């Protein structure tokens, strides 16, 4: 069975190449890269430039810190309405106008310095310009984020997000730092001595950032006109007041479980990362390490972030992104607990990498879901909440955690007289990790789109390229009973006895078998049970043929009967494939199980009656019929013993669903035992008919009955 990647890698280099072949997105990606480079370079340049305009270490520190803080203020003041602009106005021209404004504002900072104004005035204007730049950026980000899903197919949205996030948080920050450093060394080397004001590296960096904004504005205006494609409901939106749109956007977020879970989950993931960053210095001190350890922990988080964004989709492959999102948050939060219990720097670095990886995967999955599953009319407002909220949550988490740990210090708290001491830093990490796990589980519960499917089994199956299928929903008021067992177990006899008894009670009974219950099944049966063996299929082909018969059988016979409330009694079902093709033919049992589960939509019987028989006894019964032998009956004793023990293992793994009976007992005793068990499903204590509905699709990764066995059963029937 080939993996999904065989047909087209959904998350690797092939997916990245396929996204870059889309011309509008390729141009937008280049624009975003330039914009991100300008942002990081602008952050470094404006901060260094402001500090260079004043004298004294205290004043320099205040100028540097004030400029960083002022970048956050617009998010508090204008953040709530930024998304309304993205949804209300043309997104392409919103991006163009914002970039032109940023071009002017960035250029104004070094231009004002050239006028000869005092250092304090220059710093003051730098602060004002930074505030205005950040305000404009708040309008630009939601417009950009909301436009991306309209440029590429939904199936490639995740690959596009991978590319943009790695560029924004991985490549361009490093490039900006390198350019700033090279610019400083190059200019000083060329000029020598003291630099003129216009040649200061910080001012040159501001010019580079300014003209990068002009370039992005021109590319978007003339090269990516697809961003302006029409959106449904645009006319109605422009007729609404901005306040009405703002209120409706928040209502949509609060009243939509998927969006609510996404937003809260992303905030929780970034809060965990912020807490780790805020406490990293104190935590390093609690380990007896210095500033070098702090830098390692800080860098480890961003290494993990890149790893999570870059490698996460290739690991989980086709797993439900809704599930992956919640699991990523739990991973990030559980990794915070790893930090809390770290006793060595190496363990702490591993925990920090895992925190970053969990946060990166959650951010990628969340962004992809927001872009692909949210109506275009409100996408800008939702992205504004996420983008601005993550900034605020991250900064607040860093600030509050630093403050709390700073107040508590890294001193240890002794618990009673037990001689156990715990630092306040670790206590805060424990609390943050526990809260994050709760948030992740809550988000998972709100968004889970595969209810009833085991989570860990689904993850393992997805990693192997065979994710479990969710239950195929249908309303059933009937009862599904299956008879299983080896050759000569007497299934046909007991099946007929049960059917006759239930019909005598006036019940709607459907007797069926696998394979051969349909016209299609008869043809398949002739292929797989041909006694001559001249056209015997290979083991894998045999498993596929049985699965094909079962898929058609369930769709045309079993499900319709269960829906109308009938009692369906089948001679063999999924467990025969697991026993015969899995154990008997020694095919990978989990692959046979996945194949059968997919074929049936996961339909599981309410009751499986397993008639256990010794292979020698069963085969002697077959020979006494003088009806000839088919391919299965002609197999070796070792084959039939493997089949027998596979059936018994299946029954032991799910005892509530199985009734195991010794096939050597008198037929009347067996029939009476089966009747008593079936009555438990059909009649309540008051004697009123009350069939228990058939259970939902089987999503477990357990071996199923062999299709070959199913065919053999038909011949005996």
């Amino acid at each position: 069975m080939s993996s999904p990647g065989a047909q087209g890698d959904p998350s690797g280099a092939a997916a990245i190449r396929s996204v870059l072949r889309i011309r509008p997105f390729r141009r937008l990606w280049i624009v975003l890269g330039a914009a991100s480079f300008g942002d990081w370079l602008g952050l470094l340049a404006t901060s260094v430039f402001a500090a260079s305009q004043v004298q004294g270490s205290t004043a320099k520190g205040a100028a540097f810190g004030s400029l960083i803080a002022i970048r956050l203020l617009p998010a508090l003041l204008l953040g709530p309405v930024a998304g309304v602009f993205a949804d209300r106005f043309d997104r392409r021209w919103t991006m163009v106008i914002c970039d032109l404004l940023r071009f002017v504002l960035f250029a104004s900072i070094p231009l004002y310095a050239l006028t000869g104004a005092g250092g304090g005035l220059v710093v003051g204007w730098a602060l004002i310009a930074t505030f205005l730049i950040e305000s404009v950026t708040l309008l630009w980000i939601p417009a950009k984020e909301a436009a991306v899903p309209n440029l590429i197919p939904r199936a490639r949205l995740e690959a596009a997000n991978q590319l943009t996030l790695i560029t924004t948080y991985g490549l361009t920050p490093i490039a900006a730092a390198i350019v700033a450093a090279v610019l400083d060394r190059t200019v000083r080397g060329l000029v020598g001595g003291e630099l003129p004001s216009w040649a200061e590296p910080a001012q040159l960096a501001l010019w580079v950032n300014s003209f990068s904004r002009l370039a992005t504005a021109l590319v978007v205006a003339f090269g990516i006109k697809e961003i302006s494609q029409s959106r449904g409901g645009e006319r109605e939106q422009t007729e609404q007041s901005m306040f009405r749109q703002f209120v409706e956007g928040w209502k949509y977020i609060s009243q939509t479980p998927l969006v609510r879970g996404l937003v809260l989950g992303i905030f929780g993931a970034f809060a965990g990362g912020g807490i780790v960053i805020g406490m990293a210095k104190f935590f390093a001190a609690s380990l007896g390490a210095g500033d070098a350890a702090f830098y390692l922990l800080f860098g480890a988080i961003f290494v993990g972030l890149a790893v999570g964004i870059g490698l996460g989709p290739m690991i989980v492959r086709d797993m439900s992104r809704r599930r992956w999102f919640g699991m990523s948050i739990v991973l990030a939060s559980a990794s915070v607990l790893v930090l809390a219990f770290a006793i060595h720097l190496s363990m702490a670095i591993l925990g920090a990498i895992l925190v970053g990886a969990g946060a990166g995967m959650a951010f990628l999955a969340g962004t992809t879901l927001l872009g692909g599953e949210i109506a275009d009319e409100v996408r800008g407002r939702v992205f504004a909440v996420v983008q601005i909220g993550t900034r605020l949550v991250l900064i607040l988490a860093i600030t509050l955690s630093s403050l709390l740990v700073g107040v508590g210090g890294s001193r240890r708290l002794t618990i009673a007289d037990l001689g156990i001491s715990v630092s306040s830093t670790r206590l805060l990490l424990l609390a943050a990790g526990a809260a994050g796990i709760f948030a992740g589980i809550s988000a998972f519960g709100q968004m889970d789109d595969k209810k009833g499917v085991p989570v860990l089994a689904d993850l393992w199956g997805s990693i192997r390229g065979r994710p479990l299928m969710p239950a195929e929903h249908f309303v059933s008021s009937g009862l599904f009973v299956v008879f299983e067992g080896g050759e000569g177990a007497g299934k046909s006899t007991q099946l007929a006895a049960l059917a006759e008894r239930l019909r005598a009670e006036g019940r709607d009974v459907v007797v069926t078998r696998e394979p051969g219950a349909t016209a299609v099944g008869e043809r398949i049966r002739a292929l797989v049970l041909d006694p001559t063996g001249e056209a015997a299929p290979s083991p894998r082909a045999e498993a596929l043929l049985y699965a094909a018969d079962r898929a058609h059988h369930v769709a045309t016979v079993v499900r319709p009967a269960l829906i109308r409330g009938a009692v369906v009694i089948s001679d063999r079902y999924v467990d025969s494939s697991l026993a015969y093709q899995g154990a008997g033919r020694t095919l990978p049992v989990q692959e046979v199980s996945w194949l059968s589960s997919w074929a049936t939509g996961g339909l599981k019987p309410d009751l499986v009656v397993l008639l256990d028989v010794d292979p020698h006894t069963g085969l002697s019964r077959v020979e006494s019929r003088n009806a000839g032998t088919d391919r299965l009956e002609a197999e070796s004793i070792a084959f039939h013993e493997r089949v027998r023990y596979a059936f018994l293992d299946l029954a032991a793994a799910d005892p509530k669903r199985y009734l195991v009976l010794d096939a050597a007992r008198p037929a009347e005793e067996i029939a009476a035992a089966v009747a008593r068990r079936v009555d438990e499903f059909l009649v309540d204590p008051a004697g009123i008919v009350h069939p228990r509905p058939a259970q939902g699709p089987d999503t477990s990764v357990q071996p199923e009955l062999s299709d070959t066995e199913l065919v053999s059963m038909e011949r005996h029937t």
Side-chain angles (χ1 to χ4, degrees), residues 479-484 498 568-570 573 575 604-610 655-660 673-681 692-695:
L479 180 69
F480 189 17
V481 180
V482 172
F483 282 84
E484 296 284 8
L498 177 61
V568 178
I569 308 174
S570 179
Y573 189 56
D575 289 358
K604 178 188 293 186
D606 295 288
L607 173 64
V608 178
V609 179
L610 174 58
K656 293 183 178 179
R657 195 166 58 93
Y658 281 78
L659 173 62
V660 182
V674 172
R676 285 194 298 270
R677 185 62 177 274
V678 171
D679 283 344
E680 295 176 5
F681 290 87
R692 190 179 76 172
Q695 297 177 5

Side-chain angles (χ1 to χ4, degrees), residues 28-178:
L28 181 62
W29 171 65
I30 295 173
V31 165
L32 297 180
S36 177
F37 173 80
D39 276 339
W40 289 105
L41 190 63
L43 173 62
L44 294 171
T46 52
S47 302
V48 173
F49 177 76
S52 68
Q53 300 300 308
V54 294
Q55 302 297 321
S57 59
T58 302
K60 288 179 179 291
F64 184 90
S66 297
L67 202 60
I68 295 296
I70 205 70
R71 294 174 68 93
L72 303 174
L73 185 59
L76 292 172
L77 301 178
L78 301 178
V81 299
V84 176
F85 281 83
D87 288 333
R88 186 179 183 86
F89 303 112
D90 185 283
R91 289 167 186 165
R92 178 167 66 107
W93 291 111
T94 298
M95 294 173 65
V96 170
I97 293 171
C98 287
D99 272 329
L100 290 175
L101 290 174
R102 288 192 288 184
F103 158 66
V104 173
L105 290 169
F106 270 118
S108 70
I109 299 176
L111 282 175
Y112 189 64
L114 292 177
T115 63
L121 293 175
V122 173
V123 171
W125 173 246
L127 293 174
I128 294 173
T130 300
F131 175 84
L132 295 175
I133 289 169
E134 287 303 308
S135 300
V136 172
T137 300
L138 288 179
L139 305 179
W140 184 87
I141 290 176
K144 179 265 295 183
E145 293 288 354
V148 170
N150 292 331
L151 300 180
I152 56 177
R154 181 175 173 179
R156 292 303 183 202
L157 185 57
E158 183 173 83
N161 288 333
Q162 273 186 287
L163 189 60
T164 54
L165 289 175
I166 290 175
T167 301
T168 302
Y169 295 105
L171 299 179
T172 52
I174 296 173
I178 292 174

Side-chain angles (χ1 to χ4, degrees), residues 32-388:
L32 297 180
S36 177
F37 173 80
D39 276 339
W40 289 105
L41 190 63
L43 173 62
L44 294 171
T46 52
S47 302
V48 173
F49 177 76
S52 68
Q53 300 300 308
V54 294
Q55 302 297 321
S57 59
T58 302
K60 288 179 179 291
F64 184 90
S66 297
L67 202 60
I68 295 296
I70 205 70
R71 294 174 68 93
L72 303 174
L73 185 59
L76 292 172
L77 301 178
L78 301 178
V81 299
V84 176
F85 281 83
D87 288 333
R88 186 179 183 86
F89 303 112
D90 185 283
R91 289 167 186 165
R92 178 167 66 107
W93 291 111
T94 298
M95 294 173 65
V96 170
I97 293 171
C98 287
D99 272 329
L100 290 175
L101 290 174
R102 288 192 288 184
F103 158 66
V104 173
L105 290 169
F106 270 118
S108 70
I109 299 176
L111 282 175
Y112 189 64
L114 292 177
T115 63
L121 293 175
V122 173
V123 171
W125 173 246
L127 293 174
I128 294 173
T130 300
F131 175 84
L132 295 175
I133 289 169
E134 287 303 308
S135 300
V136 172
T137 300
L138 288 179
L139 305 179
W140 184 87
I141 290 176
K144 179 265 295 183
E145 293 288 354
V148 170
N150 292 331
L151 300 180
I152 56 177
R154 181 175 173 179
R156 292 303 183 202
L157 185 57
E158 183 173 83
N161 288 333
Q162 273 186 287
L163 189 60
T164 54
L165 289 175
I166 290 175
T167 301
T168 302
Y169 295 105
L171 299 179
T172 52
I174 296 173
I178 292 174
V179 168
V182 170
L183 202 59
D184 181 79
R185 293 180 64 86
T186 302
V187 173
R188 293 185 187 282
L190 290 175
V191 177
E194 186 174 351
L195 298 175
S197 59
W198 61 267
E200 285 288 343
Q203 292 204 40
L204 293 178
L206 285 170
W207 283 114
V208 171
N209 191 21
S210 174
F211 281 101
S212 73
R213 293 300 173 183
L214 177 61
T216 58
L218 294 176
V219 172
V220 172
F222 300 105
I224 320 178
K225 297 181 180 180
E226 292 84 354
I227 293 177
S228 289
Q229 65 187 37
S230 61
R231 304 190 302 275
E234 185 173 8
R235 184 174 185 180
E236 289 78 7
Q237 289 184 30
T238 57
E239 294 175 355
Q240 291 181 336
S241 67
M242 292 188 65
F243 178 77
R244 174 91 177 265
Q245 282 185 267
F246 169 73
V247 172
E248 288 185 355
W250 277 96
K251 281 185 178 179
Y252 178 81
I253 294 173
S254 63
Q255 295 175 1
T256 307
L258 169 63
V259 181
R260 187 171 62 245
L262 282 170
V263 172
L264 294 178
I266 291 175
F267 288 175
F270 273 79
I275 289 172
V276 173
I277 293 173
M279 293 189 296
K281 188 172 182 62
F282 295 96
F283 184 71
S286 73
L287 293 173
D291 288 343
F294 163 68
Y295 297 135
L296 283 174
L297 290 173
F298 186 87
I301 291 177
F302 288 93
V303 169
L305 190 75
V307 169
I309 294 173
L311 300 182
M314 288 185 282
I315 295 174
V316 301
R317 304 177 75 175
D318 287 336
M319 186 175 192
S320 161
R321 269 21 186 182
R322 294 191 182 197
R323 288 194 143 196
W324 183 41
F325 175 77
M327 295 171 70
S328 298
I329 298 172
V330 173
L331 170 63
S333 304
S335 302
V336 174
L337 296 182
V338 172
L339 278 173
F341 290 103
I343 58 177
H344 190 268
L345 180 60
S346 59
M347 186 177 177
I349 291 175
L350 175 62
I353 291 175
L354 291 176
V355 170
M361 289 190 293
F363 192 52
L364 174 61
T367 303
T368 301
L369 288 169
L370 286 173
E373 300 196 24
I374 293 177
D376 188 61
E377 292 77 15
V378 295
R379 192 181 291 146
R381 279 163 280 181
V382 174
F383 270 116
V385 170
V386 172
Q387 294 288 340
I388 295 162

